[in-house]
Amino acid sequence: MTWLKFEWRLIARSRLSVAALLLLLSLTALAVWSGLHETARQRETIARLAPLHAQDVAALAARYPHSASAGSPAYYTFFNTWDPPSSAAFMALGLRDVAPYVLRVRALGLQAQLYEGESFNPEVALPGRFDFAFVLIYMAPLFAIALLHDAVSAERESGRLRLLQAMPDTRRLWRRRLGLRYVLLLLCLTLPLCAGALCSGTPMVVVLAALVVSAAYLGFWFGVSALVATRRWRSVANATALMGVWALLVLVLPTLANVALVRAIPVGQGVDLMLTQRQIVHGAWEVPREETMRKFYASHPEWRNSAPLPQGFHYKWYYAFHQLGDEAVAGQVAAYRQGLLARQQWSDRLGWILPGVAAQSLLHRLADTDLPAQLAYQDRIAAFHGEVRRFYYGYLFTDKPFGTADFSRLPAFTPRAAAMTVSWGEAALLVLLSTLVAALGMRRFRGGLD
């Protein structure tokens, strides 16, 4: 292992290399800690919901001990829903940074409540969270460039390149030199990641997949750096060219692709659905009550035998037009979700040629923080909201009184199980692309360097 000791001495003598390795290790550790801290904060927030909800229900039970109708208790009772972070969410927070992971709903129209918390400050959300995915996708390539941009040019400028070429099996020498730097950078990335996974109890298969993605993505940039470093350019020119490639592949092309997707697949906003549903609900006050109930009974025949509406206001009419408001925008909701999923599919396809997009998509899927995870949470909310409605409809449409004992029978929300999916097919494509680029980079060392 004499070669290893020699190569390590070369790295240790380079202040830039040592500083780069220590800085990357520190940044990765900080990113992992930040992700763990954020997921712990979210779990703590969720844990505070249960006692607060119990207090609210107890207060309402004392307020309506013997109510002649369930209308008022249904109107004032909020139900907590939550989406706990997965054990791997610390790696890539994804949409959990901007989408609500806690939502309170009532028996009123769902769409108006579902997207009410969608508004956020775009300037605050634009940089994203400082997590492991950010360090891997955006910062790790810069450290690979720092360690490899002058791998050949520095030897040429110091006059040692001819001497190295005269040594037997020069290609193996370069392979060892680049391989050691690759391993050191990979360890700076993966050691904090493994420590964070151990603290959060992340399944081994998910950790293994994250290590494969990290190794493949870093290997891609080592290959790109090797392709540029073997040119007959000076060190400054190499660094400039590699920084241009980094900006193009990591910043410019993904941004342009996103703009193209937005224009090719136009999708509105959830706030638009909320406003549309609210306009329909507000307009229902001007619609004859008999027409509203006729439409409601047509889609809900199980309540057709309910007693006719009395003179004046009745809560079953009120909740009926809220239900019809949701049903009126059901087609728009389906189109909205299909548009989002279509964009997601094309984003995944961009990963076939843009390794940064592929690595980010894979990490978000592993962490269960991508778009399908957010839509699955919304589906769980919708299913629970249906349970709440059916519970109260059993009182409203039979004119059954609602008392203190009935509060104890309120439906309880059950969160969805985390789906930390390992997409080995997409990971294999990323590994294949990275292996190809790395092989081309190492091929440049064959036969010596000028």
Side-chain angles (χ1 to χ4, degrees), residues 388-415:
V388 172
R389 273 178 165 164
R390 288 189 295 271
F391 173 79
Y392 284 117
Y393 286 174
Y395 292 86
L396 292 171
F397 289 91
T398 61
D399 294 321
K400 181 180 177 181
F402 194 92
T404 303
D406 298 297
F407 280 96
S408 62
R409 291 190 285 269
L410 293 176
F413 178 78
T414 303

PDB file of all heavy atoms in Angstrom, residues 388-415:
ATOM      1  N   VAL A 388     -66.102  11.910   7.598  1.00  0.00           N
ATOM      2  CA  VAL A 388     -66.691  12.933   8.458  1.00  0.00           C
ATOM      3  C   VAL A 388     -68.073  13.334   7.941  1.00  0.00           C
ATOM      4  O   VAL A 388     -69.035  13.451   8.713  1.00  0.00           O
ATOM      5  CB  VAL A 388     -65.763  14.162   8.534  1.00  0.00           C
ATOM      6  CG1 VAL A 388     -66.443  15.316   9.261  1.00  0.00           C
ATOM      7  CG2 VAL A 388     -64.462  13.803   9.227  1.00  0.00           C
ATOM      8  N   ARG A 389     -68.165  13.526   6.649  1.00  0.00           N
ATOM      9  CA  ARG A 389     -69.454  13.898   6.073  1.00  0.00           C
ATOM     10  C   ARG A 389     -70.506  12.812   6.311  1.00  0.00           C
ATOM     11  O   ARG A 389     -71.641  13.101   6.715  1.00  0.00           O
ATOM     12  CB  ARG A 389     -69.289  14.142   4.573  1.00  0.00           C
ATOM     13  CG  ARG A 389     -68.886  15.566   4.219  1.00  0.00           C
ATOM     14  CD  ARG A 389     -68.689  15.737   2.746  1.00  0.00           C
ATOM     15  NE  ARG A 389     -68.657  17.154   2.380  1.00  0.00           N
ATOM     16  CZ  ARG A 389     -68.193  17.609   1.221  1.00  0.00           C
ATOM     17  NH1 ARG A 389     -67.735  16.752   0.313  1.00  0.00           N
ATOM     18  NH2 ARG A 389     -68.215  18.906   0.960  1.00  0.00           N
ATOM     19  N   ARG A 390     -70.154  11.584   6.038  1.00  0.00           N
ATOM     20  CA  ARG A 390     -71.128  10.495   6.225  1.00  0.00           C
ATOM     21  C   ARG A 390     -71.554  10.386   7.687  1.00  0.00           C
ATOM     22  O   ARG A 390     -72.705  10.055   7.987  1.00  0.00           O
ATOM     23  CB  ARG A 390     -70.533   9.180   5.720  1.00  0.00           C
ATOM     24  CG  ARG A 390     -70.436   9.108   4.196  1.00  0.00           C
ATOM     25  CD  ARG A 390     -70.044   7.714   3.737  1.00  0.00           C
ATOM     26  NE  ARG A 390     -68.694   7.354   4.175  1.00  0.00           N
ATOM     27  CZ  ARG A 390     -67.600   7.613   3.471  1.00  0.00           C
ATOM     28  NH1 ARG A 390     -67.696   8.257   2.304  1.00  0.00           N
ATOM     29  NH2 ARG A 390     -66.415   7.250   3.913  1.00  0.00           N
ATOM     30  N   PHE A 391     -70.606  10.651   8.595  1.00  0.00           N
ATOM     31  CA  PHE A 391     -70.946  10.591  10.016  1.00  0.00           C
ATOM     32  C   PHE A 391     -72.029  11.627  10.367  1.00  0.00           C
ATOM     33  O   PHE A 391     -73.028  11.310  11.008  1.00  0.00           O
ATOM     34  CB  PHE A 391     -69.687  10.834  10.853  1.00  0.00           C
ATOM     35  CG  PHE A 391     -69.945  10.956  12.326  1.00  0.00           C
ATOM     36  CD1 PHE A 391     -70.154   9.831  13.111  1.00  0.00           C
ATOM     37  CD2 PHE A 391     -69.982  12.209  12.933  1.00  0.00           C
ATOM     38  CE1 PHE A 391     -70.402   9.947  14.474  1.00  0.00           C
ATOM     39  CE2 PHE A 391     -70.213  12.325  14.290  1.00  0.00           C
ATOM     40  CZ  PHE A 391     -70.430  11.196  15.060  1.00  0.00           C
ATOM     41  N   TYR A 392     -71.817  12.867   9.920  1.00  0.00           N
ATOM     42  CA  TYR A 392     -72.779  13.911  10.241  1.00  0.00           C
ATOM     43  C   TYR A 392     -74.063  13.775   9.427  1.00  0.00           C
ATOM     44  O   TYR A 392     -75.146  14.159   9.916  1.00  0.00           O
ATOM     45  CB  TYR A 392     -72.152  15.286  10.006  1.00  0.00           C
ATOM     46  CG  TYR A 392     -71.183  15.686  11.088  1.00  0.00           C
ATOM     47  CD1 TYR A 392     -69.839  15.883  10.811  1.00  0.00           C
ATOM     48  CD2 TYR A 392     -71.612  15.875  12.394  1.00  0.00           C
ATOM     49  CE1 TYR A 392     -68.943  16.258  11.796  1.00  0.00           C
ATOM     50  CE2 TYR A 392     -70.732  16.255  13.399  1.00  0.00           C
ATOM     51  CZ  TYR A 392     -69.393  16.439  13.092  1.00  0.00           C
ATOM     52  OH  TYR A 392     -68.508  16.796  14.084  1.00  0.00           O
ATOM     53  N   TYR A 393     -73.964  13.265   8.201  1.00  0.00           N
ATOM     54  CA  TYR A 393     -75.175  13.091   7.405  1.00  0.00           C
ATOM     55  C   TYR A 393     -76.147  12.131   8.100  1.00  0.00           C
ATOM     56  O   TYR A 393     -77.368  12.269   7.955  1.00  0.00           O
ATOM     57  CB  TYR A 393     -74.835  12.554   6.019  1.00  0.00           C
ATOM     58  CG  TYR A 393     -74.197  13.567   5.091  1.00  0.00           C
ATOM     59  CD1 TYR A 393     -73.722  13.195   3.840  1.00  0.00           C
ATOM     60  CD2 TYR A 393     -74.056  14.896   5.471  1.00  0.00           C
ATOM     61  CE1 TYR A 393     -73.134  14.116   2.993  1.00  0.00           C
ATOM     62  CE2 TYR A 393     -73.461  15.824   4.630  1.00  0.00           C
ATOM     63  CZ  TYR A 393     -72.998  15.422   3.382  1.00  0.00           C
ATOM     64  OH  TYR A 393     -72.413  16.333   2.543  1.00  0.00           O
ATOM     65  N   GLY A 394     -75.600  11.155   8.814  1.00  0.00           N
ATOM     66  CA  GLY A 394     -76.465  10.230   9.536  1.00  0.00           C
ATOM     67  C   GLY A 394     -77.325  10.910  10.584  1.00  0.00           C
ATOM     68  O   GLY A 394     -78.382  10.376  10.974  1.00  0.00           O
ATOM     69  N   TYR A 395     -76.913  12.069  11.033  1.00  0.00           N
ATOM     70  CA  TYR A 395     -77.694  12.852  11.988  1.00  0.00           C
ATOM     71  C   TYR A 395     -78.559  13.898  11.267  1.00  0.00           C
ATOM     72  O   TYR A 395     -79.731  14.092  11.613  1.00  0.00           O
ATOM     73  CB  TYR A 395     -76.783  13.561  12.987  1.00  0.00           C
ATOM     74  CG  TYR A 395     -76.068  12.635  13.941  1.00  0.00           C
ATOM     75  CD1 TYR A 395     -74.855  12.039  13.593  1.00  0.00           C
ATOM     76  CD2 TYR A 395     -76.590  12.365  15.199  1.00  0.00           C
ATOM     77  CE1 TYR A 395     -74.192  11.198  14.468  1.00  0.00           C
ATOM     78  CE2 TYR A 395     -75.936  11.519  16.088  1.00  0.00           C
ATOM     79  CZ  TYR A 395     -74.734  10.936  15.708  1.00  0.00           C
ATOM     80  OH  TYR A 395     -74.077  10.093  16.572  1.00  0.00           O
ATOM     81  N   LEU A 396     -77.954  14.580  10.278  1.00  0.00           N
ATOM     82  CA  LEU A 396     -78.649  15.688   9.631  1.00  0.00           C
ATOM     83  C   LEU A 396     -79.863  15.236   8.835  1.00  0.00           C
ATOM     84  O   LEU A 396     -80.920  15.871   8.891  1.00  0.00           O
ATOM     85  CB  LEU A 396     -77.671  16.435   8.721  1.00  0.00           C
ATOM     86  CG  LEU A 396     -76.542  17.195   9.415  1.00  0.00           C
ATOM     87  CD1 LEU A 396     -75.533  17.701   8.405  1.00  0.00           C
ATOM     88  CD2 LEU A 396     -77.117  18.370  10.203  1.00  0.00           C
ATOM     89  N   PHE A 397     -79.719  14.153   8.088  1.00  0.00           N
ATOM     90  CA  PHE A 397     -80.790  13.742   7.186  1.00  0.00           C
ATOM     91  C   PHE A 397     -81.807  12.820   7.857  1.00  0.00           C
ATOM     92  O   PHE A 397     -82.747  12.370   7.200  1.00  0.00           O
ATOM     93  CB  PHE A 397     -80.192  13.073   5.943  1.00  0.00           C
ATOM     94  CG  PHE A 397     -79.492  14.041   5.033  1.00  0.00           C
ATOM     95  CD1 PHE A 397     -78.135  14.297   5.185  1.00  0.00           C
ATOM     96  CD2 PHE A 397     -80.188  14.714   4.057  1.00  0.00           C
ATOM     97  CE1 PHE A 397     -77.482  15.196   4.359  1.00  0.00           C
ATOM     98  CE2 PHE A 397     -79.544  15.625   3.221  1.00  0.00           C
ATOM     99  CZ  PHE A 397     -78.187  15.872   3.370  1.00  0.00           C
ATOM    100  N   THR A 398     -81.609  12.546   9.113  1.00  0.00           N
ATOM    101  CA  THR A 398     -82.616  11.797   9.883  1.00  0.00           C
ATOM    102  C   THR A 398     -83.153  12.610  11.052  1.00  0.00           C
ATOM    103  O   THR A 398     -83.935  12.088  11.858  1.00  0.00           O
ATOM    104  CB  THR A 398     -82.005  10.483  10.410  1.00  0.00           C
ATOM    105  OG1 THR A 398     -80.902  10.781  11.265  1.00  0.00           O
ATOM    106  CG2 THR A 398     -81.546   9.587   9.268  1.00  0.00           C
ATOM    107  N   ASP A 399     -82.699  13.891  11.120  1.00  0.00           N
ATOM    108  CA  ASP A 399     -83.138  14.786  12.198  1.00  0.00           C
ATOM    109  C   ASP A 399     -82.887  14.185  13.578  1.00  0.00           C
ATOM    110  O   ASP A 399     -83.681  14.330  14.508  1.00  0.00           O
ATOM    111  CB  ASP A 399     -84.631  15.125  12.044  1.00  0.00           C
ATOM    112  CG  ASP A 399     -84.891  15.950  10.791  1.00  0.00           C
ATOM    113  OD1 ASP A 399     -84.059  16.829  10.496  1.00  0.00           O
ATOM    114  OD2 ASP A 399     -85.886  15.690  10.101  1.00  0.00           O
ATOM    115  N   LYS A 400     -81.736  13.510  13.703  1.00  0.00           N
ATOM    116  CA  LYS A 400     -81.368  12.881  14.960  1.00  0.00           C
ATOM    117  C   LYS A 400     -80.625  13.884  15.843  1.00  0.00           C
ATOM    118  O   LYS A 400     -79.702  14.558  15.377  1.00  0.00           O
ATOM    119  CB  LYS A 400     -80.489  11.659  14.689  1.00  0.00           C
ATOM    120  CG  LYS A 400     -80.058  10.892  15.919  1.00  0.00           C
ATOM    121  CD  LYS A 400     -79.192   9.705  15.516  1.00  0.00           C
ATOM    122  CE  LYS A 400     -78.682   8.946  16.733  1.00  0.00           C
ATOM    123  NZ  LYS A 400     -77.809   7.802  16.332  1.00  0.00           N
ATOM    124  N   PRO A 401     -80.996  14.021  17.106  1.00  0.00           N
ATOM    125  CA  PRO A 401     -80.288  14.965  17.995  1.00  0.00           C
ATOM    126  C   PRO A 401     -78.819  14.565  18.158  1.00  0.00           C
ATOM    127  O   PRO A 401     -78.432  13.404  17.983  1.00  0.00           O
ATOM    128  CB  PRO A 401     -81.055  14.855  19.311  1.00  0.00           C
ATOM    129  CG  PRO A 401     -82.374  14.268  18.951  1.00  0.00           C
ATOM    130  CD  PRO A 401     -82.139  13.371  17.780  1.00  0.00           C
ATOM    131  N   PHE A 402     -78.029  15.564  18.506  1.00  0.00           N
ATOM    132  CA  PHE A 402     -76.590  15.353  18.667  1.00  0.00           C
ATOM    133  C   PHE A 402     -76.209  15.874  20.048  1.00  0.00           C
ATOM    134  O   PHE A 402     -76.390  17.056  20.355  1.00  0.00           O
ATOM    135  CB  PHE A 402     -75.831  16.115  17.575  1.00  0.00           C
ATOM    136  CG  PHE A 402     -74.386  15.709  17.445  1.00  0.00           C
ATOM    137  CD1 PHE A 402     -73.991  14.721  16.560  1.00  0.00           C
ATOM    138  CD2 PHE A 402     -73.405  16.324  18.219  1.00  0.00           C
ATOM    139  CE1 PHE A 402     -72.669  14.359  16.417  1.00  0.00           C
ATOM    140  CE2 PHE A 402     -72.076  15.966  18.093  1.00  0.00           C
ATOM    141  CZ  PHE A 402     -71.710  14.974  17.187  1.00  0.00           C
ATOM    142  N   GLY A 403     -75.658  14.954  20.876  1.00  0.00           N
ATOM    143  CA  GLY A 403     -75.323  15.336  22.239  1.00  0.00           C
ATOM    144  C   GLY A 403     -73.883  15.041  22.608  1.00  0.00           C
ATOM    145  O   GLY A 403     -73.047  14.708  21.758  1.00  0.00           O
ATOM    146  N   THR A 404     -73.610  15.163  23.900  1.00  0.00           N
ATOM    147  CA  THR A 404     -72.243  14.978  24.402  1.00  0.00           C
ATOM    148  C   THR A 404     -71.702  13.588  24.075  1.00  0.00           C
ATOM    149  O   THR A 404     -70.529  13.442  23.688  1.00  0.00           O
ATOM    150  CB  THR A 404     -72.217  15.200  25.920  1.00  0.00           C
ATOM    151  OG1 THR A 404     -72.713  16.510  26.215  1.00  0.00           O
ATOM    152  CG2 THR A 404     -70.809  15.060  26.458  1.00  0.00           C
ATOM    153  N   ALA A 405     -72.525  12.570  24.212  1.00  0.00           N
ATOM    154  CA  ALA A 405     -72.063  11.209  23.945  1.00  0.00           C
ATOM    155  C   ALA A 405     -71.673  11.018  22.488  1.00  0.00           C
ATOM    156  O   ALA A 405     -70.804  10.190  22.167  1.00  0.00           O
ATOM    157  CB  ALA A 405     -73.146  10.202  24.339  1.00  0.00           C
ATOM    158  N   ASP A 406     -72.297  11.784  21.583  1.00  0.00           N
ATOM    159  CA  ASP A 406     -72.002  11.623  20.157  1.00  0.00           C
ATOM    160  C   ASP A 406     -70.616  12.166  19.800  1.00  0.00           C
ATOM    161  O   ASP A 406     -70.023  11.741  18.807  1.00  0.00           O
ATOM    162  CB  ASP A 406     -73.075  12.329  19.326  1.00  0.00           C
ATOM    163  CG  ASP A 406     -74.445  11.726  19.545  1.00  0.00           C
ATOM    164  OD1 ASP A 406     -74.618  10.547  19.212  1.00  0.00           O
ATOM    165  OD2 ASP A 406     -75.319  12.436  20.081  1.00  0.00           O
ATOM    166  N   PHE A 407     -70.122  13.095  20.581  1.00  0.00           N
ATOM    167  CA  PHE A 407     -68.780  13.618  20.304  1.00  0.00           C
ATOM    168  C   PHE A 407     -67.721  12.528  20.458  1.00  0.00           C
ATOM    169  O   PHE A 407     -66.674  12.583  19.813  1.00  0.00           O
ATOM    170  CB  PHE A 407     -68.466  14.791  21.245  1.00  0.00           C
ATOM    171  CG  PHE A 407     -69.068  16.088  20.815  1.00  0.00           C
ATOM    172  CD1 PHE A 407     -70.270  16.509  21.348  1.00  0.00           C
ATOM    173  CD2 PHE A 407     -68.442  16.882  19.873  1.00  0.00           C
ATOM    174  CE1 PHE A 407     -70.836  17.710  20.960  1.00  0.00           C
ATOM    175  CE2 PHE A 407     -69.003  18.084  19.471  1.00  0.00           C
ATOM    176  CZ  PHE A 407     -70.203  18.500  20.016  1.00  0.00           C
ATOM    177  N   SER A 408     -67.978  11.559  21.326  1.00  0.00           N
ATOM    178  CA  SER A 408     -67.003  10.479  21.524  1.00  0.00           C
ATOM    179  C   SER A 408     -66.963   9.524  20.337  1.00  0.00           C
ATOM    180  O   SER A 408     -66.039   8.706  20.242  1.00  0.00           O
ATOM    181  CB  SER A 408     -67.333   9.702  22.802  1.00  0.00           C
ATOM    182  OG  SER A 408     -68.617   9.094  22.696  1.00  0.00           O
ATOM    183  N   ARG A 409     -67.931   9.611  19.434  1.00  0.00           N
ATOM    184  CA  ARG A 409     -67.972   8.727  18.271  1.00  0.00           C
ATOM    185  C   ARG A 409     -67.475   9.407  16.998  1.00  0.00           C
ATOM    186  O   ARG A 409     -67.656   8.883  15.897  1.00  0.00           O
ATOM    187  CB  ARG A 409     -69.405   8.228  18.074  1.00  0.00           C
ATOM    188  CG  ARG A 409     -69.875   7.265  19.157  1.00  0.00           C
ATOM    189  CD  ARG A 409     -71.194   6.621  18.780  1.00  0.00           C
ATOM    190  NE  ARG A 409     -72.299   7.554  18.933  1.00  0.00           N
ATOM    191  CZ  ARG A 409     -73.010   7.687  20.057  1.00  0.00           C
ATOM    192  NH1 ARG A 409     -72.705   6.960  21.121  1.00  0.00           N
ATOM    193  NH2 ARG A 409     -74.017   8.538  20.124  1.00  0.00           N
ATOM    194  N   LEU A 410     -66.858  10.568  17.138  1.00  0.00           N
ATOM    195  CA  LEU A 410     -66.347  11.276  15.969  1.00  0.00           C
ATOM    196  C   LEU A 410     -65.288  10.442  15.252  1.00  0.00           C
ATOM    197  O   LEU A 410     -64.498   9.737  15.886  1.00  0.00           O
ATOM    198  CB  LEU A 410     -65.734  12.614  16.381  1.00  0.00           C
ATOM    199  CG  LEU A 410     -66.695  13.676  16.918  1.00  0.00           C
ATOM    200  CD1 LEU A 410     -65.920  14.906  17.363  1.00  0.00           C
ATOM    201  CD2 LEU A 410     -67.727  14.041  15.868  1.00  0.00           C
ATOM    202  N   PRO A 411     -65.229  10.497  13.923  1.00  0.00           N
ATOM    203  CA  PRO A 411     -64.193   9.750  13.189  1.00  0.00           C
ATOM    204  C   PRO A 411     -62.791  10.219  13.570  1.00  0.00           C
ATOM    205  O   PRO A 411     -62.576  11.388  13.908  1.00  0.00           O
ATOM    206  CB  PRO A 411     -64.499  10.064  11.722  1.00  0.00           C
ATOM    207  CG  PRO A 411     -65.912  10.527  11.704  1.00  0.00           C
ATOM    208  CD  PRO A 411     -66.148  11.203  13.023  1.00  0.00           C
ATOM    209  N   ALA A 412     -61.849   9.316  13.529  1.00  0.00           N
ATOM    210  CA  ALA A 412     -60.452   9.620  13.855  1.00  0.00           C
ATOM    211  C   ALA A 412     -59.596   9.447  12.602  1.00  0.00           C
ATOM    212  O   ALA A 412     -59.755   8.467  11.862  1.00  0.00           O
ATOM    213  CB  ALA A 412     -59.947   8.719  14.974  1.00  0.00           C
ATOM    214  N   PHE A 413     -58.720  10.391  12.384  1.00  0.00           N
ATOM    215  CA  PHE A 413     -57.853  10.360  11.202  1.00  0.00           C
ATOM    216  C   PHE A 413     -56.710   9.373  11.403  1.00  0.00           C
ATOM    217  O   PHE A 413     -56.105   9.314  12.472  1.00  0.00           O
ATOM    218  CB  PHE A 413     -57.292  11.754  10.920  1.00  0.00           C
ATOM    219  CG  PHE A 413     -56.361  11.811   9.744  1.00  0.00           C
ATOM    220  CD1 PHE A 413     -56.857  11.816   8.449  1.00  0.00           C
ATOM    221  CD2 PHE A 413     -54.985  11.864   9.929  1.00  0.00           C
ATOM    222  CE1 PHE A 413     -56.004  11.875   7.358  1.00  0.00           C
ATOM    223  CE2 PHE A 413     -54.123  11.925   8.858  1.00  0.00           C
ATOM    224  CZ  PHE A 413     -54.630  11.924   7.565  1.00  0.00           C
ATOM    225  N   THR A 414     -56.414   8.615  10.373  1.00  0.00           N
ATOM    226  CA  THR A 414     -55.273   7.693  10.368  1.00  0.00           C
ATOM    227  C   THR A 414     -54.321   8.110   9.260  1.00  0.00           C
ATOM    228  O   THR A 414     -54.712   8.106   8.082  1.00  0.00           O
ATOM    229  CB  THR A 414     -55.723   6.245  10.146  1.00  0.00           C
ATOM    230  OG1 THR A 414     -56.670   5.879  11.151  1.00  0.00           O
ATOM    231  CG2 THR A 414     -54.529   5.295  10.194  1.00  0.00           C
ATOM    232  N   PRO A 415     -53.095   8.507   9.572  1.00  0.00           N
ATOM    233  CA  PRO A 415     -52.173   8.951   8.511  1.00  0.00           C
ATOM    234  C   PRO A 415     -51.778   7.807   7.602  1.00  0.00           C
ATOM    235  O   PRO A 415     -51.832   6.639   7.975  1.00  0.00           O
ATOM    236  CB  PRO A 415     -50.973   9.497   9.294  1.00  0.00           C
ATOM    237  CG  PRO A 415     -51.018   8.765  10.606  1.00  0.00           C
ATOM    238  CD  PRO A 415     -52.471   8.542  10.901  1.00  0.00           C
TER     239      PRO A 415
END
